[in-house]
Amino acid sequence: MDEETLQAALNTADVLCAQRGVRFTAQRRRVLELVCRAERPVGAYEILGQLHTGATAAPPTVYRALDFLLEQGFVHKLETLHAFIGCTHPEHPHASQFLICADCGRVKELESEAVAGCLRSAAQETGFHPKRPVIEVLGTCAQCTHKAKKV
Amino acid sequence: MDEETLQAALNTADVLCAQRGVRFTAQRRRVLELVCRAERPVGAYEILGQLHTGATAAPPTVYRALDFLLEQGFVHKLETLHAFIGCTHPEHPHASQFLICADCGRVKELESEAVAGCLRSAAQETGFHPKRPVIEVLGTCAQCTHKAKKV
DNA sequence: CATTTTTCGAAACATTATAACAGTTGTGCG
DNA sequence: CGCACAACTGTTATAATGTTTCGAAAAATG
Ligand SMILES: [Zn+2]
Ligand SMILES: [Zn+2]
Ligand SMILES: [Zn+2]
Ligand SMILES: [Zn+2]
């Protein structure tokens, strides 16, 4: 995420938190910034390592901040990677799909209503009531596929 | 998985391993049996706890067996639960979807080609080459939804 | 039966996540 | 303002999950 996008994301978070009456503390802001600034998904302990803000920091510090950001929909958790990524459109709740490149490690967030709807239908056919769909695809991104062909 | 289904699963595994020229050792067989016998997904350490087969057993013992069973497609790993479940149709490779009931903990394995295809399309539209899709839906199963309504 | 490959045992270690409790800070109200 | 209360944070310890490594045992190979 580039600097401009980052600032926009932080501003959006500010506004949304105000609207929702929740506190966007310095700590939470800092964690969101670290997650968004990263080119790739970041693990909790990786964030922790970058949090040396004068005082120390322990795992719960990071996990609490992440829990908050997840609740507010500012970040997503990638279950297959045990890592976190900034959301690209936090203003509305959504079921998204993640394309994870095993080569470069970059992740693209899709928001295909077709996929979401299809899965919802398939689930509901069996009488199942979906709450939280987790859709993550491991593979190779366009860029890396292209590179591989050239070599 | 009931006793009959279990025996069928073990036999299928036997046959497939023979066909594939891989060894279905007593250890692997035992782990598969434990996974299949469970009503719900089981964690690696849970299996480990039930493996007191005279000799001791350490984590690698279980993880090695599980790796083998995963490769052969006899079990699946549920990433959101860090747990394993026996596959209901191990004879052919497949991309499946899992419906995980947050209430009773039971998991249903779907094999919807519609869902798989839809996701594949969405991914490929962006130039992404899917390798391993992970689709897990947390929610409430038909049975538990029904029970909840009665109360 | 010697050689080679695969599997298994065992100990230590690495990573991810949570529990529990005390202190601190912010917020609303009289 | 000064207090009460809730939310947030610091700290320590611990749980749960997963891996590395090395060497012994067992099985396939010839
Ligand atoms: Zn998102
Ligand atoms: Zn890539
Ligand atoms: Zn299956
Ligand atoms: Zn249920």
Side-chain angles (χ1 to χ4, degrees), chain B residues 73 76 87-89 94 96 98 109 111:
Chain B
H76 294 293
C87 176
T88 46
H89 7 56
H94 54 274
S96 42
F98 300 95
E109 179 177 353
E111 220 180 309

Side-chain angles (χ1 to χ4, degrees), chain B residues 23 25 27-28 55-61 64:
Chain B
R23 282 155 62 185
T25 65
Q27 189 113 243
R28 291 165 176 175
T56 64
T61 301
R64 281 192 287 234

Side-chain angles (χ1 to χ4, degrees), chain B residues 97-111:
Chain B
Q97 304 94 37
F98 300 95
L99 306 180
I100 304 171
C101 180
D103 195 337
C104 66
R106 268 179 269 263
V107 174
K108 175 150 182 59
E109 179 177 353
L110 289 186
E111 220 180 309

